[in-house]
């Protein structure tokens, strides 16, 4: 079992009068971890606390610096992503940089500009932030590279033909694919996804699933919440099952779907919880 | 992405820069000008439009007239916001000079007040006696519009009420007949025309007023209705920035033979509005 | 009694007469109005974005103040600026009273709160939608504010037009601080007030129709610009 890349230590979160997370302790190490649970279990809150969008009321979240322990095999020197000379160069330095996180939300947030500009926006923001960071290992991609990388990523999600279309006129499924492209273009070490297929039709769900699979294969760790058991079965290595803000179980996916350890897990799979 | 941001910023800066340039370009060129605080009655009679071009042509000094009421014009003089004050309220003007805000009071011209009112004259006030007329209007409680704004006209009106021994405020609950509008001469005339009321006005404004409706001249010719205009330079000792040479040039021209001739030459419908009476 | 139809005819005739004085007044009206509107739009949008995306003590109080300032009576604003710019006042040395600059200052004072209050609401609504995603992308607060401003540009443009409309319609403040000086600070609205005072109601009405025509043309131009933008950017 690989060493954990993120640790949650007795994390609690109190929001709007009730305790959304209750003393959650987790150590994630799998390439792809899916968080399951009934409505109101605290899945979305857990994801946001991990990302840093929400501050825990108690406990702490620790992301390990990049190292050989990472599932992405970065430090091991495997080239990742598209035309990726910077990444290869990184491994020769101490490699102890902070992991890059990206998140895709249930409802894709499209800026009022073209699809291509949306994808480039994320990279430009990263470039700007990096310019101020002392971490010289992360050189910001040059302007021309940004446009090229954006085009490539859009091609990989099958939306190259829509590059100049105003992003807001796209369908829900297409917008979600743009959001994925935008996140992927950042070459994140971890991709967090909050029920990304919740409001999509089956065709769009399949397209999104294929993209997530590709991103995972390219070396990004996946942490995803979903109600969609089929996707979870196909993509997950590990399952974290949440119930009433507590971790009811954290097991390998095959184990969970065959024979859940917890009673609530069993009830959930039977369909008795929702 | 960086390129389109730059383009956007250039566009925004361009618009802003053009606006700023526009604003700056509209700042007054280094022309010579003076600010004259005067009254609505003088401006609305059209006198300045007739008079000032001759002065500007002769001296190259542009005259900017700010027309409000006598009270406000004198206040502008006290604050130093004008170089010259040209109003028609002798007691107030003399006080202005006595308090050190003005250099010297020169008389320039006069006209007379008249009382305009409904042609049907419900109060039977018609005639050439202002005091009798006012008494009759008060007795009949016929509607009368007053400026109520510390203007020269208003001051004159109050003096006449006092001389007639009548208090228009008495028996006037809720503005039953005596209505103070706190407004300029033109606005007062508009109001009187709409209400078919009496109103004290100077002849100059009356002659150039176009919205008379059913009003006509009711009282005129009383020597007490004499309306004297005076001009004063704002005291540079009090306000060092006052343009005293240019301001004095205007005053000197107004009282000169040429200026006095120009004043006499202003007529509407063949009728002369102002009568020059400057003492040399 | 002046008929409305007659004033439309008068307005038309006036416009065609190419009267130099009228066109000078129209030019000054547009200069003062557009300058005020642009400055207010920039200031107001910046203030609105700052308050919308910012977190600082007294923020709620500031929002209440801006909303209240939308109701600032023009004549009060005029009086305040008059006292400021008067020779007897603190900024008298600049000699700005009775100039178009004074009119712009007074109007900016009036219009900026409107733009700020409305754009704050617009940007705050947009921020609510974008906040999580932008934070996740690591966008700085400053960059986020700029992104919000650009993304809400159509709604903001409408607010800007509201500001321009207010500027062109304003008479109370510009009368006091401008003095309605012929050839220097006389704009359409003060000219209309003057002609009304002189009892020349037909002329006043005709000028009013011309002013409305100008406002209509400006709004039409803005609408067409918007349509084109929407087609390009979505």
């Amino acid at each position: 079992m690989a060493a954990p890349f993120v640790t949650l230590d007795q994390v609690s979160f109190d929001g709007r009068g009730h305790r959304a997370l209750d003393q959650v302790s987790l150590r994630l190490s799998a390439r792809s971890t899916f968080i399951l649970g009934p409505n109101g279990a605290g899945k979305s809150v857990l994801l946001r606390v991990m990302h840093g969008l929400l501050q825990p009321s108690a406990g702490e979240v620790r992301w390990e610096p990049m190292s050989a322990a990472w599932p992405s095999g970065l430090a091991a020197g495997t080239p990742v992503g598209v035309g990726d000379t910077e990444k290869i160069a990184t491994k020769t330095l101490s490699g102890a940089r902070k992991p890059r996180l990206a998140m895709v939300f249930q409802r894709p947030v499209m800026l009022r500009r073209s699809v291509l500009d949306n994808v480039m926006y994320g990279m430009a923001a990263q470039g700007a932030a990096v310019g101020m960071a002392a971490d010289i290992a992360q050189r910001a991609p040059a302007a021309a590279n940004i446009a090229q990388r954006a085009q490539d990523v859009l091609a990989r999600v099958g939306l190259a033909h829509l590059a100049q279309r105003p992003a807001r006129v796209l369908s829900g499924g297409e917008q979600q694919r743009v959001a994925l492209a935008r996140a992927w273009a950042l070459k994140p070490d971890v991709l967090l996804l909050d029920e990304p297929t919740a409001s999509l039709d089956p065709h769009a769900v399949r397209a999104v699933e294929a993209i997530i699979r590709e991103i995972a294969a390219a070396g990004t760790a996946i942490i995803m919440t979903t109600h969609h058991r089929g996707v979870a079965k196909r993509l997950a290595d590990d399952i974290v099952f949440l119930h009433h803000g507590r971790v009811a179980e954290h097991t390998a996916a095959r184990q969970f779907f065959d024979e859940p350890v917890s009673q609530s897990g069993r009830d959930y799979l039977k369909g008795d919880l929702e | 992405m960086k390129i389109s941001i730059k383009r956007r910023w250039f566009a925004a800066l361009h618009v802003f820069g053009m606006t700023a340039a526009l604003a700056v370009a509209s700042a007054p060129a280094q022309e010579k000008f003076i600010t004259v605080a005067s009254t609505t009655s003088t401006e609305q009679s059209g006198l300045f439009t007739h008079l000032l071009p001759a002065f500007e042509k002769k001296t190259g000094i542009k005259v900017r007239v700010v027309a409000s009421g006598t009270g406000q014009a004198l206040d502008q003089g006290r604050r130093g916001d004008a170089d010259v004050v040209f109003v028609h309220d002798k007691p107030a003007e003399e006080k202005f000079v006595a308090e050190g805000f003005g250099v010297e009071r020169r008389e320039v011209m006069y006209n007379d007040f008249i009382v305009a009112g409904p042609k049907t004259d419900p109060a039977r006030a018609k005639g050439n006696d202002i005091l009798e007329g006012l008494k009759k209007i008060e007795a009949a409680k016929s509607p009368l519009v007053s400026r109520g704004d510390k203007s020269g006209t208003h001051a004159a009106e109050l003096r006449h009420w006092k001389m007639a021994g009548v208090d228009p405020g008495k028996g006037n609950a809720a503005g039953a007949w005596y209505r103070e509008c706190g407004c300029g001469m033109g606005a007062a005339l508009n109001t009187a025309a709409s209400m078919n009321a009496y109103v004290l006005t100077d002849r100059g404004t009356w002659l150039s007023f176009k919205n008379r409706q059913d009003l006509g001249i009711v009282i005129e010719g009383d020597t007490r209705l004499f309306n004297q205009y005076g001009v004063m330079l704002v005291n540079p000792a009090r306000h060092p920035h006052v343009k005293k040479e240019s301001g004095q040039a205007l005053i000197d021209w107004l009282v000169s033979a040429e200026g006095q001739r120009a004043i006499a030459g202003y007529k509407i419908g063949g009728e002369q509005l102002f009568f020059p009476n400057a003492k040399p | 009694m002046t008929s409305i139809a007659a004033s439309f005819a008068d307005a038309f005739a006036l416009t065609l007469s190419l009267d130099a004085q009228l066109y000078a007044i129209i030019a000054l009206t547009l200069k003062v109005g557009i300058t005020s509107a642009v400055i207010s739009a920039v200031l107001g949008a910046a203030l609105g974005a700052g308050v919308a995306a910012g977190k600082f003590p007294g923020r709620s109080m500031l929002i209440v103040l801006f909303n209240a300032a939308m109701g600032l009576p023009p004549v009060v604003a005029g009086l305040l600026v008059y006292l400021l710019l008067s020779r007897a006042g603190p900024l008298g040395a600049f000699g700005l009273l009775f100039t178009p600059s004074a009119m712009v200052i007074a109007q900016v004072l009036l219009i900026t709160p409107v733009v700020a209050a409305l754009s704050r609401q617009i940007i705050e609504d947009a921020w609510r939608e974008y906040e999580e995603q932008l934070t996740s992308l690591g966008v700085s607060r400053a960059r986020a504010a700029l992104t919000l401003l650009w993304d809400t540009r159509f709604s903001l443009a409408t607010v800007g037009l509201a500001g321009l409309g207010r500027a062109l319609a304003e008479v109370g403040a510009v009368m006091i601080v401008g003095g309605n000086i012929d050839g220097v600070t006389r704009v359409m609205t003060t000219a209309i007030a003057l002609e009304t005072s002189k009892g020349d109601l037909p002329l006043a009405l005709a000028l009013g129709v011309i002013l409305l025509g100008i406002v209509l043309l400006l709004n039409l131009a803005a609408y067409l610009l918007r349509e084109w933008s929407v087609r390009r950017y979505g």
Side-chain angles (χ1 to χ4, degrees):
Chain A
M1 186 80 164
F5 58 85
V6 63
T7 305
L8 277 78
D9 193 358
Q10 295 285 307
V11 166
S12 296
F13 186 84
D14 296 306
R16 258 174 300 188
H18 84 290
R19 179 150 269 219
L21 293 179
D22 192 11
Q23 293 175 307
V24 167
S25 287
L26 274 176
R27 309 171 88 199
L28 302 186
S29 55
R31 283 185 86 104
S32 115
T33 309
F34 271 59
I35 303 173
L36 301 180
N39 283 327
K43 307 191 292 297
S44 294
V45 175
L46 179 60
L47 214 58
R48 282 162 171 77
V49 168
M50 276 201 264
H51 189 1
L53 292 177
L54 292 175
Q55 293 308 311
S57 316
E60 97 176 289
V61 176
R62 263 195 315 274
W63 290 91
E64 302 305 320
M66 300 303 298
S67 68
W70 275 78
S72 63
L74 261 180
T78 342
V80 204
V82 182
D84 216 4
T85 44
E86 303 102 80
K87 270 277 171 67
I88 296 174
T90 305
K91 81 165 167 66
T92 63
L93 296 162
S94 68
R97 61 170 174 83
K98 283 197 319 217
R100 242 194 320 259
L101 310 180
M103 184 155 173
V104 169
F105 298 85
Q106 183 171 342
R107 261 184 281 275
V109 176
M110 294 290 110
L111 300 179
R112 206 174 245 110
R113 50 194 81 182
S114 71
V115 164
L116 188 69
D117 282 344
N118 265 276
V119 176
M120 295 203 293
Y121 180 82
M123 287 192 275
Q126 181 189 58
V130 155
M132 296 188 274
D135 195 341
I136 47 171
Q138 314 232 54
R139 281 192 314 272
N145 279 359
I146 288 183
Q148 185 57 59
R149 182 136 66 130
Q151 293 275 16
D152 295 340
V153 162
L154 272 180
R156 289 186 76 159
V157 303
L159 292 178
H161 63 291
L162 294 178
Q164 291 310 321
R165 201 71 76 76
R168 289 202 159 208
V169 311
L170 266 51
S171 72
E174 287 166 337
Q175 286 190 358
Q176 198 61 292
R177 285 197 271 162
V178 174
L180 280 165
R182 181 169 58 196
W184 197 4
L186 298 177
K187 303 211 203 127
D189 301 305
V190 184
L191 180 61
L192 302 108
L193 302 108
D194 189 13
E195 304 205 34
T197 59
S199 31
L200 303 182
D201 65 83
H203 173 73
V205 171
R206 278 198 290 281
V208 165
E209 188 186 328
I211 296 170
I212 297 174
R213 190 193 300 274
E214 256 204 82
I215 296 177
T220 303
I222 304 285
I223 306 177
M224 177 161 151
T225 69
T226 188
H227 274 287
H228 213 296
R229 277 174 230 152
V231 179
K233 263 197 208 162
R234 286 189 290 273
L235 290 186
D237 294 328
D238 277 7
I239 299 289
V240 170
F241 184 72
L242 270 190
H243 189 47
H244 291 321
R246 289 214 180 85
V247 178
E249 90 181 75
H250 179 192
T251 44
R254 186 166 304 145
Q255 165 82 51
F256 180 77
F257 285 109
D258 285 344
E259 189 80 51
V261 169
S262 62
Q263 179 60 46
S264 47
R266 281 196 286 276
D267 292 337
Y268 175 76
L269 285 181
K270 265 195 286 181
D272 287 341
L273 288 180
E274 207 67 66
Chain B
M1 183 62 177
K2 273 197 198 127
I3 301 155
S4 67
I5 285 184
K6 242 192 234 155
R7 222 190 303 133
R8 251 176 258 153
W9 272 113
F10 278 150
L13 274 171
H14 192 65
V15 168
F16 200 56
M18 263 177 41
T19 312
L22 208 63
V24 164
S26 72
Q30 295 306 60
E31 61 173 9
K32 271 204 294 186
F33 72 91
I34 51 169
T35 306
V36 173
S38 189
T39 69
T40 53
S41 34
T42 338
E43 162 150 86
Q44 281 161 19
S45 67
L47 175 69
F48 290 126
T49 319
H50 165 86
L51 203 59
L52 295 175
F55 172 75
E56 289 169 3
K57 199 151 154 213
K58 177 166 186 193
T59 60
I61 303 172
K62 284 246 161 227
V63 179
R64 296 185 180 179
V65 177
V66 179
S68 31
T70 296
Q72 199 175 341
L74 288 170
D75 184 62
Q76 277 163 2
R78 276 187 212 104
R79 300 176 143 272
D81 289 329
D83 305 300
V84 171
V85 176
F86 188 179
V87 294
H88 59 118
D89 185 350
K90 185 168 171 185
E93 293 162 36
E94 287 175 333
K95 184 160 179 260
F96 187 76
V97 174
E99 284 172 350
F101 291 108
V103 173
E104 185 198 355
R105 177 179 175 271
R106 294 295 297 269
E107 301 197 326
V108 178
M109 62 202 191
Y110 70 90
N111 65 0
D112 60 333
F113 290 112
I114 53 153
V115 172
K119 290 197 184 110
T120 53
D121 191 17
R124 302 261 165 275
K126 196 166 175 78
N128 60 0
D129 188 333
I130 178 69
L131 302 183
E132 282 309 307
L134 285 181
K135 281 191 207 149
K136 288 200 184 114
I137 294 173
E138 193 268 341
K141 299 272 187 278
S142 285
L144 183 142
V145 172
S146 166
R147 295 266 310 259
D149 66 342
K150 268 172 89 169
S151 56
T153 310
H154 184 226
E157 184 207 316
L158 293 177
R159 279 197 296 272
H160 294 133
W161 285 119
K162 197 147 173 228
M163 275 195 274
V166 169
D167 177 6
K170 239 178 6 167
N172 185 43
W177 65 276
Y178 182 70
R179 294 158 193 178
E180 294 188 85
C181 68
C183 58
M185 196 67 252
L189 284 169
N190 272 326
T191 310
S194 322
M195 286 181 182
N196 216 22
Y198 294 92
V199 59
L200 181 75
T201 169
D202 67 288
R203 193 183 292 272
T205 311
W206 171 254
L207 283 174
S208 57
F209 186 68
K210 294 196 180 93
N211 185 28
R212 292 178 191 177
Q213 296 186 43
D214 293 322
L215 298 183
I217 299 182
V218 172
I219 305 175
E220 63 176 327
D222 189 330
T223 48
R224 286 174 288 224
L225 290 173
F226 183 73
N227 178 27
Q228 176 70 51
Y229 287 79
V231 68
M232 299 169 288
L233 179 71
V234 173
N235 192 356
R238 223 26 196 270
H239 295 287
H241 62 267
V242 163
K243 297 171 182 156
K244 55 178 194 264
E245 289 93 22
S246 303
Q248 192 59 50
L250 175 64
I251 296 173
D252 291 339
W253 185 82
L254 283 172
V255 302
S256 72
E258 189 190 330
Q260 297 277 287
R261 247 197 324 271
I263 291 171
Y266 183 52
K267 295 187 167 73
I268 291 186
E271 224 182 307
Q272 186 175 341
L273 271 69
F274 300 95
F275 298 86
N277 70 340
K279 299 190 190 78
Chain C
M1 200 53 216
T2 320
S3 80
I4 306 288
S7 21
F8 269 92
D10 287 341
F12 202 59
L14 248 182
T15 320
L16 287 180
S17 71
L18 297 179
D19 180 62
Q21 209 185 9
L22 171 67
Y23 275 81
I25 292 178
I26 293 177
L28 185 65
T29 306
L30 289 174
K31 218 161 38 169
V32 170
I34 293 178
T35 307
S36 309
V38 169
I39 296 177
S40 306
V42 172
L43 278 178
L47 281 168
V51 176
K55 277 200 254 274
F56 50 86
R59 181 178 176 271
S60 315
M61 201 61 238
L62 204 59
I63 292 177
V64 173
L65 273 173
F66 275 136
N67 288 346
M70 281 203 283
L72 180 64
V75 71
V76 172
L79 183 58
L80 285 172
V81 175
Y82 179 92
L83 291 173
L84 269 177
L85 298 180
S86 163
R87 288 282 177 179
L91 302 178
F94 294 104
L96 287 171
L97 192 61
F98 303 140
T99 63
S101 308
M103 297 158 80
V104 170
I105 293 172
Q107 288 195 333
V108 167
L109 191 62
L110 276 170
I111 300 167
T112 304
V114 177
V115 176
L118 293 178
S119 49
R120 181 205 61 83
Q121 187 64 61
I122 290 168
I123 293 170
E124 208 168 274
D125 291 341
W127 182 234
R128 212 168 291 134
E129 188 194 336
Y130 288 11
E131 182 176 6
E132 280 192 323
Q133 181 70 80
L134 293 189
T135 313
S136 169
L137 288 172
V139 174
S140 69
R141 282 269 148 156
R143 188 124 199 278
L146 290 175
T147 302
L148 289 173
L149 280 173
W150 179 248
D151 261 48
T152 53
R153 56 193 179 279
F154 297 126
S155 306
L156 290 184
T158 307
V159 174
L161 276 177
L164 177 62
R166 188 129 202 247
L168 293 173
E170 211 279 307
V171 66
V174 296
M175 184 74 95
I176 296 181
V177 305
N180 196 15
I181 300 172
D182 191 13
V184 181
T185 56
R186 188 163 295 170
V187 291
M188 289 297 279
T189 46
T190 56
I192 292 170
L194 178 61
E195 293 308 322
T196 308
S197 282
K198 282 155 89 172
D200 197 344
L201 304 184
L203 178 56
L205 206 49
L207 289 175
V209 169
I210 294 178
L211 181 57
L212 286 175
I214 292 171
V215 172
L216 204 61
L217 276 173
L218 282 171
N219 273 278
L220 185 63
Y223 176 76
L224 291 172
L225 181 67
R226 200 211 135 126
E227 286 300 290
W228 171 83
S229 277
V230 168
R231 248 177 282 127
R232 258 203 85 182
Y233 295 106

